[in-house]
């Protein structure tokens, strides 16, 4: 059975049990500030388990893309070392929200595994929760008895709280679970050791494949448990492991989930899988990581230096360095695997097919960039080695290479071993621990339990129509962090405050208290379907009625920028082409940022055309046409633009300004004239095939033009108020160019005088005319001196050093005849000499230059050059 068939059989089985099949949520978690990525199948359903939203159906089944690389589920460094850990994986699941419970979940799991997938019953073991004294929880007799109907008692094992009590986190819904394990060892191995003795012992061939979680409790902040209003079922089965069992192989990487990728890696790198352990690990790392990176990019998360983008960059760089170190790939190649992913997974995950070109371009550019970083790291490591007085270098230095320059620890270790050296591993790990401790402390958040004042499952957002309202606080809790100190999260029964989302920042404002005082709302976010208002304090009596007021100026400026992004999107697709797709945005009161797919830098004419297009729409006074609760299919048919990486409900909101129609939940101006004016401030590349425009509108645009007018006034004043300002500046530029030419002539005369003195002082070493000097001149003049001497002096080795603006410069020129006869190479020599000035360089065999930050090392470099010539 192929992996495609296995996935389909699972979903169809639960569809036959009256489950609704739902699409996988995006890998990147945009609506839960506590998680960067979906790391478990239940993440997209948290709000249902928390009772904060009603599900579309009480029975759901899906295959969910998951990513585990950081935090509690940190699997990254294990991936590739064994045959069953992954970064990105699929979690097959079936869910019951207050519908069926243990009996049905157990019966259907057994039926699917043994009757549909035909897994041998003799190879299966199950675990049930043994109970826990601290939580006053008893043995799960109910689950045990249901299992007894299907499997002998000696194959039903008791599991402790660590293995058989599932928790969402430190707080929240939780409950006992029942795991299904399978023993796929050979018959010979099974006779030696019983499978039940290897369950949950990390044996690679006695593995858990399915976890049935019976959610019936809520963990409070004080650690106590309380019963949930309804009982739920949450199951998760690792798709890759299931394929391994059904396809009767002993490694996830031997299933057809991975073999097409591995074959392509073998072809591209000219390496074979299964012959060398280090090569195998590298191939597994790349095969796994390219899936994670590709799906993240397809879902809208580009590699970057912070947050979720940093995690994706870290995963990709790990793959690149394994290719670099163990597969000897010094050029980009991982991007080529995008084609295999498309053909293998495009049917079930259409985003991979739709975003293939973007995936290809972004990965290729990231590979180029990191390979350059590796080259830089090699140079820095050479400097550390040359300055080391022992064969053991500082762990702090090695950590600095890793932390600041992204140079891998294992590559540092490998290079040092080749030189008979090592670094202080203990010191490195101490520095790593300090950094992790700092990061944890900065990110740590203590969260109290909710204080429920009104049992209101869903609050009403009225911010599209009102900026103030009489409200009641339905719940609140205290949160504390090192960054923000003590804060309170307030939930209202209804709110005019827009929560951060869709690129738009959350509203600010205040609560007007009955005594005339105010409590400022500093930010607004959304978490698990709750709109959270952040404040530094609480009202004395939170149960009273208050007036909630949004900062109208903050909102108005933000709306101008948000509507401008829609008009900008329309302009880009009209002027550049319909290949343009939005890849990210930021909308706040000060400016807007818009990321989009396009293959080249925008010309000045294109930027002007885009500005003119947007401003023309502003001047047309186009009114907002807003439609709420539009069926998704109807919105698609109307041509509304949708964004990849967004999860839409069955009903959506459309925003229309003339010919611009998009699905959007943000706030907008009532008429384009409210924007006043649109001005592009910058256009740049943020990744291969991804451009970024930053622009301003409204008050910010007005202030910009006032500032420009003031600057022009100051320039006029400095130039004595000329009647033609442009002509006056042009005249200044022409005068400046004339002076530059005069300086160049003076430098040539100066160089000529240097040349004669240098030739007089040449040394003859091994039939080579050696000339060295530290001169007060720039790079261009130094080159001229070298070549002029070369025209007059045969068998020349010239090295010149100079100090300019606190930096050091070295120039080496070697006569072509002795390059051949003596085997000297200026490019090779300059790299060695560059170490003395803490820099590097390169060039051709007869001419090369180096720059560095240590002018004090110039004389040492010249002395070293003389030793090279002397042999």
């Amino acid at each position: 059975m192929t992996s495609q068939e296995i996935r389909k059989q699972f979903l169809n089985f639960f569809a036959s049990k009256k489950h609704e099949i739902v699409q996988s949520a995006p890998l990147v978690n945009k609506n839960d500030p506590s998680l960067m990525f979906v790391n478990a199948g239940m993440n997209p359903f948290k709000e249902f388990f928390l009772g904060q939203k009603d599900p579309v159906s009480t029975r759901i089944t899906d295959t969910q893309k998951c990513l585990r690389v950081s935090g509690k589920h940190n699997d990254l460094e294990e991936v590739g070392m064994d045959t069953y850990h992954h970064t990105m994986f699929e979690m097959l699941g079936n869910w019951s929200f207050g519908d069926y419970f243990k009996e049905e979940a157990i019966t259907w799991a057994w039926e699917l595994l043994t009757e549909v997938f035909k897994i041998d019953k003799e190879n299966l073991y199950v675990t049930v929760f043994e109970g826990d004294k601290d939580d006053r929880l008893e043995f799960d007799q109910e689950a045990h008895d249901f299992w007894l109907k299907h499997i002998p008692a000696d194959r039903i094992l008791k599991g402790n709280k660590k293995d058989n009590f599932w928790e969402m986190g430190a707080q929240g819904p939780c409950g006992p679970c029942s795991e299904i394990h399978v023993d796929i060892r050979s018959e010979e191995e099974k006779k030696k050791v019983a499978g039940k003795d290897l369950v949950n012992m990390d044996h690679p061939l006695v593995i858990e494949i399915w976890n049935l979680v019976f959610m019936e409790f809520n963990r409070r902040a004080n650690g106590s448990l309380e019963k949930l209003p309804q009982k739920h079922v949450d199951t998760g089965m690792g798709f890759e492991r299931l394929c391994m069992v059904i396809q009767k192989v002993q490694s996830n990487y031997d299933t057809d989930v991975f073999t097409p990728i591995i074959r392509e890696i073998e072809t591209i790198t000219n390496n074979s899988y299964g012959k060398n352990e280090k090569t195998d690990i590298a191939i597994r790392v790349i095969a796994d990581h390219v899936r994670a990176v590709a799906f993240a990019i397809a879902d809208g998360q580009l590699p970057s230096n912070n947050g979720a983008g940093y995690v994706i960059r870290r995963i990709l760089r790990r793959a690149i360095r394994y290719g670099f170190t163990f597969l000897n790939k010094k050029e980009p190649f991982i991007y080529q695997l995008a084609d295999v992913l498309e053909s293998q997974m495009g049917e079930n995950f259409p985003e991979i097919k739709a975003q293939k070109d973007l995936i290809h371009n972004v990965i290729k550019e990231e590979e180029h960039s990191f390979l350059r970083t590796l080259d830089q790291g090699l140079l820095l490591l050479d400097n550390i080695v040359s300055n080391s007085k022992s064969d053991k270098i500082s762990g702090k230095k090695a950590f600095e290479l890793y932390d600041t320059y992204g140079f891998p620890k294992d590559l540092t270790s490998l290079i040092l071993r080749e030189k008979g050296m090592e670094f202080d591993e203990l010191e490195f790990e101490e520095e790593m621990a300090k950094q992790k401790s700092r990061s944890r402390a900065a990110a740590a958040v203590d969260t109290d339990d909710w204080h429920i004042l009104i049992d209101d499952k869903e609050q009403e957002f009225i911010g599209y129509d009102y900026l103030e309202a009489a409200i009641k606080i339905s719940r609140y809790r205290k949160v504390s962090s090192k960054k923000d100190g003590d804060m309170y999260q307030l939930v209202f029964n209804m709110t005019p405050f827009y929560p951060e989302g869709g690129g738009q920042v959350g509203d600010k404002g205040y609560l007007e208290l009955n005594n005339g005082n105010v409590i400022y709302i500093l930010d607004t976010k959304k978490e698990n379907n709750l709109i959270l208002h952040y404040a530094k304090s609480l009202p004395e009596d939170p149960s009273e009625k208050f007036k909630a007021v949004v900062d109208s100026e903050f909102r108005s400026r933000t709306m101008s920028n948000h509507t401008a992004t829609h008009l900008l999107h329309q302009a880009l697709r009209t002027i550049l082409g319909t290949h343009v797709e939005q890849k990210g945005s930021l909308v706040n009161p000060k400016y807007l940022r818009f990321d989009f797919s396009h293959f080249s830098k925008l010309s000045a004419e294109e930027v002007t055309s885009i500005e003119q297009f947007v401003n023309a729409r502003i001047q047309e006074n186009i009114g907002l046409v807003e439609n709420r609760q539009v069926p998704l299919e109807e919105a698609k048919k109307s041509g509304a633009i949708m964004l990849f990486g967004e999860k839409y409900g069955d009903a959506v909101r459309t925003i229309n300004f003339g010919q611009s129609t998009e699905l959007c939940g943000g706030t907008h101006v009532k008429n384009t004239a409210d924007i006043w004016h649109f001005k592009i401030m910058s256009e740049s590349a943020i990744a291969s095939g991804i451009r970024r425009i930053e622009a301003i509108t409204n008050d910010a645009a007005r202030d910009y033009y006032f500032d420009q007018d003031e600057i022009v006034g100051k320039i006029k004043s400095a130039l004595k108020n000329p009647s033609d300002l442009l002509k006056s500046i042009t005249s200044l530029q022409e005068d400046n160019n004339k002076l530059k030419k005069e300086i160049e002539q003076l430098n040539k005369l100066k160089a000529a005088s240097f040349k004669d003195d240098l030739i007089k002082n040449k040394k003859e070493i091994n039939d080579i005319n050696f000339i060295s000097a530290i001169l007060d001149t720039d790079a261009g003049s130094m080159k001229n001196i070298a070549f002029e001497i070369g025209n007059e002096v045969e068998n020349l080795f010239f090295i010149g050093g100079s100090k300019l603006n606190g930096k050091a410069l070295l120039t080496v020129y070697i006569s072509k005849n002795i390059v051949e006869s003596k085997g000297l190479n200026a490019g090779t020599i300059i790299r060695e000499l560059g170490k003395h000035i803490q820099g590097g360089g390169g060039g051709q065999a007869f001419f090369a230059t180096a720059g560095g930050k240590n002018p004090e090392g110039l004389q040492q470099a010249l002395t070293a050059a003389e030793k090279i010539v002397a042999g």
Side-chain angles (χ1 to χ4, degrees), residues 48-65:
F48 305 149
F49 290 121
L50 291 165
Q52 291 161 5
K53 190 177 181 180
D54 291 326
V56 292
S57 169
T58 57
R59 297 183 181 190
I60 282 174
T61 186
D62 72 343
T63 178
Q64 174 61 48
K65 298 173 289 187

Side-chain angles (χ1 to χ4, degrees), residues 96-141:
S96 166
F97 304 107
D99 191 333
Y100 62 83
F101 202 47
K102 294 180 184 178
E103 183 174 13
E104 294 89 342
I106 288 170
T107 300
W108 291 338
W110 188 257
E111 180 186 347
L112 178 62
L113 292 179
T114 61
E115 296 179 24
V116 177
F117 290 141
K118 309 293 184 188
I119 296 174
D120 190 340
K121 297 176 184 179
E122 300 301 312
N123 291 334
L124 294 173
Y125 297 86
V126 299
T127 62
V128 294
F129 181 49
E130 67 181 8
D132 185 79
K133 288 182 181 179
D134 293 339
D135 280 330
R136 299 179 183 177
L137 294 172
E138 296 181 356
F139 167 63
D140 192 349
Q141 186 70 50

